[in-house]
Structure formats: C-alpha cells, structure tokens
Amino acid sequence: MSDPLSSLPSRSGKLILLSPLTPPSLSRAWLTAPHPTLPIVATCSSDKSVRIYSLTSFTLLSTISGGHKRSVRSCAWKPGIKGESVLATASFDASVGVWKRWDSEDLIPRPERELDFADRGDIDNADEDEEWRFALVLDGHDSEVKSVDWSAGGNFLATCSRDKSVWIWEEVGEDDFETIAVLQEHTADVKCVAWHPEEEMLASGSYDDEVRLWREEVDDWGCVAVLRGHESTVWAVAWEGIKAKVGGNEIDGQTRIEGRQEWAKRRESSGPRLVSCSDDQSVRVWRRRPREKGPAQNPLSIIRTGSSEEEWVEEAKLPSTHERAIYAVAWSHRTGRIVSTGGDGKIIVYEERWKSETEETGVEGIGNIAINGNSNEDHPTMTEENVGKTNNDSDKATEWMVIAEIEGAHGVFEINHVCWAPRADRGKSRDDEEVILSTGDDGVVKVWILDV
C-alpha cells in the first residue's frame, strides 16, 4: 500500500515523496545542509549529533557525535575547497565546532559508522582518508548558538545566538580563527544568519522582528540597513542566486516587452534579493535600491565622503498560505523558486512569473520602505512628496504564485527546515534536476521531487 502522503495534489504542480533518509534520528532533527559539491548532506539533531547521509542511496554514512554537550541546532559546509570537506556546527552549549574529513574517490556509499571525539583529544589513530576529525571549537557566545554560515569565499564564518549577538570569525591559518566582529544591535535572540552569494555582506533575523544587513566599514563591521515589516520573530533568511530566474528560467531572452526590460535592468543593478519568513506567517522579498553615483572621490584624500548605509525596500509579500509560524525558507539558485515550511506541517513552493502585457503597464501598490534602516509607516501612503520617488520603483512586471503545496508532510509533526539540493539518485533525468529536503520534529529527513 502506498504512502497517502507520497503524492498529494497541490495547485498547478505536486510534491512527490522520493524517499526518506534512513535510518532517521530518534529525536528532533533541526536542519539539513547539502554539501556544496558532493551528493551528501549533514543533518543536525537534538541528540547532540550530526548525521551524514547519501543523496545517492538515501542511507546513513556516518554519525558525528561527542563534540557538543547539548543539541546541535545548525550546521554549514565550507565552500570553495577541494579534497577536503569542512563542516561547522552550532550548538545550544554556546559553542561552534569545526569538523574536517579528507575526501576519497569513493566517498559513498559506505557503511554507517559512529565517531566519538568527546574528549576532543588525540585523533592520530583515525583513518584520515575515511574519518571525520574534530579540528577545533570556537567559544565566545554567552548562550545558545542558533545559526552558522560560511561566506561565499569561505574565509568568514558567521554565528548568532540567544545572547542577542552576531559574531564574525575569520580563518587566519590552519585551524586558526580570529574574532573580527561582535555585532550587538539586535535587541533580542538572533535566530539566523546568511551570507550574500557574492558580496561580503551578512543578513541576520531576530526575535526583535527585524532583519539587519551587515558589512565591513573601513576597519570595522557595522549595520548598513534594517528591514522592518515583519510583525513577529524572523526565523530565517535566504539569498537569491546571482542570476535572476523568472518562470523557472533565466531572464535572458524573456525581456522583449518594455516592462520586463526595466525589471531586468533594475534587478541587475540591485543584485540578489533577500527572502525572509516569520512567526507572523508571512514570506517577504526585499530588494536593494541602487545608490546614485556621487561626486568623484580624490584617490589621494584620506577623507571618505558618503554613507555606507543602504536602502532596501519590501518588493513583495508572497501569497499567504501558512497557518502557523514559518520556520524556514530557501531560494533555489537553479530555478529561482522559493520553498517554505513551518509549524503547520506544510511545504509550499512559490514561483515568480511575468505578468500579462496589460498588467505590466499598470502600477501596483507601494511596498514597505526601509530607508537607511528606518520606516515611518508600515504601509506608506501615496503623497505628492513620495509619488515621484516610489512610483516607478514599485511597478512590478512579475508576481509570485503558489505552484505546489502539501499538507502534513511529516504527519502531525512540525517541520523545522527545508532546502533545495541537486538530485543525485539513479532516477534523475537531467543534470540540473533538484530535490527538496524537509527536516522535522519526528527526526526524519524527507526527499521530495517537484512535478510541474
């Protein structure tokens, strides 16, 4: 008898359960992170461990335990390295661990093994061609560490905590990290951090209902924008890919219509957008307003003119479909689709599509505006003072639509995380095919395919 949840009809498409990852954790699973190049994932759990699964066979390869004394809440793979896999783990014990493993030619599949480095001591007896090794621990946070993420270049590591702070660490040598910034402008528990896909800019979301953007200013890191609009805790943020996608495809060749050309130019000058999700049951997309060029700077002058603050606007609020808090959101860099999940057990997939020609010439309402980190009203009204500044900026050539939805994806359990990953099993028909991974309170990670 087939699983009744394996293929439920949903909007114009459907989510089909490909396989769970087995065996599951016996306790709550928090998050699953796909490896940047290999067909494996890391799943962190409340049992203090991280499980490494194969996306080829959907089986457990190894269990990493002993490095943390409490629940492992988040993990992230270091990008841009060859021959070695590096995994950072964030724990409720207020520490961050860094694990390493030499990549072998025949990495998977392998029988499951458990590695226990509880004493963080001698690992000389480990087979470095096969085993994970605990490289170092980063201490500094005063409370639970909620999220961890590597910068696109792999030289910076960001962490955030219940202690209301965001830390930025720089790798200065082999197994040697320095704290280069402790950012304390959030007024409550910081839930998530995510690095820009090509710039050294960091986004963070908090229990204070705000998203903050950080970048280095001269010799120090500082907040360059505050995105206000959510009415409750911001649980997760995610960046769009470097190349924008509309209708699941790159926008090149789709912009003959004037409204689309303007949208494409604006997207190119603004750079990747940011999506956030919240306890207020909303998913919002934010866009940077390109800064007008100021007067030329004398290269010999030591005085720097202008402000480092950036201007971001709420470009879109995705269709309201969730009925409880939204815990996770992910933006596919291959198709431009967004997937969200949360406390209601739903998985929802959204797609950005071009509006019709007649709609593209019309004017949509004004989105929430966060200018230099401030907003006087949640929904500014059209006045003579702001009509010239915001009207053209608010013309939308695209709209977001729900293309697939499934309820009860993990039965009665809440879903804590969702992400995209390249498909790697024998059933894939294209090299660019993706799967969706959902991670739940039931300890299970499920692999879904999107049929549209």
Side-chain angles (χ1 to χ4, degrees):
M1 181 176 180
S2 63
D3 185 345
L5 295 179
S6 64
S7 179
L8 295 182
S10 49
R11 305 299 173 102
S12 62
K14 60 182 178 180
L15 288 165
I16 301 172
L17 179 62
L18 183 60
S19 176
L21 301 183
T22 58
S25 168
L26 298 179
S27 59
R28 173 184 291 131
W30 286 112
L31 176 148
T32 298
H35 192 284
T37 58
L38 300 175
I40 61 175
V41 298
T43 298
C44 49
S45 172
S46 60
D47 67 2
K48 313 173 192 176
S49 74
V50 177
R51 287 170 171 77
I52 309 298
Y53 290 98
S54 165
L55 286 182
T56 302
S57 62
F58 308 122
T59 57
L60 183 65
L61 303 177
S62 59
T63 302
I64 305 172
S65 64
H68 292 291
K69 299 176 182 178
R70 294 183 61 192
S71 176
V72 181
R73 180 61 179 86
S74 179
C75 61
W77 299 96
K78 183 178 179 180
I81 54 176
K82 295 182 179 180
E84 186 178 40
S85 292
V86 178
L87 182 70
T89 54
S91 171
F92 283 177
D93 65 10
S95 73
V96 176
V98 178
W99 305 79
K100 296 185 176 183
R101 181 193 188 281
W102 298 113
D103 294 336
S104 60
E105 293 182 2
D106 185 24
L107 178 66
I108 52 176
R110 294 181 183 275
E112 188 272 340
R113 62 178 64 82
E114 181 162 349
L115 312 177
D116 193 339
F117 299 140
D119 58 0
R120 298 177 179 174
D122 185 13
I123 58 172
D124 290 341
N125 294 327
D127 182 349
E128 291 191 348
D129 287 335
E130 297 186 0
E131 307 293 357
W132 290 92
R133 55 198 187 278
F134 195 68
L136 74 157
V137 61
L138 302 175
D139 291 313
H141 283 290
D142 294 330
S143 188
E144 302 168 354
V145 184
K146 298 297 184 69
S147 179
V148 61
D149 195 34
W150 295 92
S151 64
N155 53 323
F156 295 124
L157 184 69
T159 59
C160 65
S161 169
R162 189 178 180 182
D163 64 13
K164 309 177 187 179
S165 71
V166 175
W167 287 50
I168 298 178
W169 316 75
E170 183 178 13
E171 187 171 15
V172 294
E174 182 71 20
D175 298 340
D176 186 13
F177 285 75
E178 287 185 357
T179 306
I180 61 172
V182 178
L183 310 170
Q184 297 178 297
E185 294 186 33
H186 278 295
T187 59
D189 183 353
V190 187
K191 298 293 187 181
C192 57
V193 287
W195 286 97
H196 190 284
E198 57 181 351
E199 300 176 19
E200 290 181 349
M201 180 164 67
L202 181 70
S204 60
S206 170
Y207 191 79
D208 63 13
D209 309 345
E210 296 177 349
V211 176
R212 287 181 177 265
L213 301 178
W214 316 84
R215 67 164 67 246
E216 192 171 16
E217 304 176 273
V218 188
D219 295 324
D220 200 8
W221 286 76
C223 182
V224 296
V226 183
L227 313 186
R228 296 188 175 99
H230 284 295
E231 299 173 357
S232 192
T233 303
V234 179
W235 283 103
V237 293
W239 291 95
E240 181 183 23
I242 296 174
K243 290 187 176 181
K245 310 288 178 69
V246 176
N249 300 300
E250 292 188 17
I251 61 176
D252 296 342
Q254 302 186 53
T255 57
R256 297 188 189 93
I257 301 172
E258 183 176 352
R260 296 183 182 182
Q261 292 175 350
E262 292 302 315
W263 185 94
K265 290 177 181 178
R266 185 180 66 189
R267 166 57 178 81
E268 183 178 1
S269 60
S270 298
R273 293 167 290 176
L274 182 73
V275 63
S276 59
C277 65
S278 168
D279 212 75
D280 66 9
Q281 302 171 26
S282 73
V283 177
R284 300 168 191 254
V285 173
W286 310 85
R287 173 178 53 81
R288 174 168 46 192
R289 276 210 184 114
R291 183 179 301 176
E292 295 181 3
K293 293 183 179 180
Q297 176 74 44
N298 183 348
L300 301 179
S301 173
I302 63 172
I303 301 175
R304 292 290 177 259
T305 61
S307 170
S308 60
E309 292 180 331
E310 298 187 358
E311 192 174 327
W312 286 72
V313 298
E314 182 184 307
E315 181 179 80
K317 183 177 178 182
L318 273 56
S320 298
T321 309
H322 283 287
E323 299 168 357
R324 297 182 64 183
I326 306 174
Y327 294 144
V329 65
W331 204 322
S332 170
H333 291 189
R334 294 194 178 195
T335 65
R337 295 179 180 129
I338 289 175
V339 62
S340 64
T341 194
D344 58 8
K346 293 182 179 181
I347 301 174
I348 301 173
V349 182
Y350 314 82
E351 184 175 85
E352 188 174 22
R353 294 181 178 176
W354 297 112
K355 289 188 176 181
S356 67
E357 260 185 86
T358 55
E359 285 178 306
E360 285 171 357
T361 60
V363 178
E364 292 291 310
I366 305 300
N368 293 354
I369 299 176
I371 300 175
N372 294 337
N374 294 296
S375 177
N376 294 326
E377 297 181 43
D378 286 341
H379 299 281
T381 57
M382 184 72 79
T383 66
E384 291 184 1
E385 288 80 11
N386 65 23
V387 65
K389 185 172 184 179
T390 60
N391 191 27
N392 292 334
D393 208 33
S394 300
D395 291 348
K396 297 190 181 87
T398 66
E399 61 183 345
W400 288 91
M401 304 177 64
V402 174
I403 62 169
E405 175 182 347
I406 189 167
E407 297 184 2
H410 283 244
V412 299
F413 293 94
E414 294 188 348
I415 305 176
N416 297 312
H417 187 256
V418 69
C419 65
W420 301 89
R423 186 172 180 180
D425 65 283
R426 293 181 179 178
K428 75 172 183 177
S429 57
R430 307 184 316 273
D431 288 340
D432 63 347
E433 196 170 351
E434 283 187 308
V435 293
I436 294 172
L437 307 176
S438 59
T439 307
D441 271 358
D442 54 358
V444 178
V445 179
K446 293 187 177 183
V447 184
W448 306 85
I449 56 175
L450 176 62
D451 182 13
V452 291

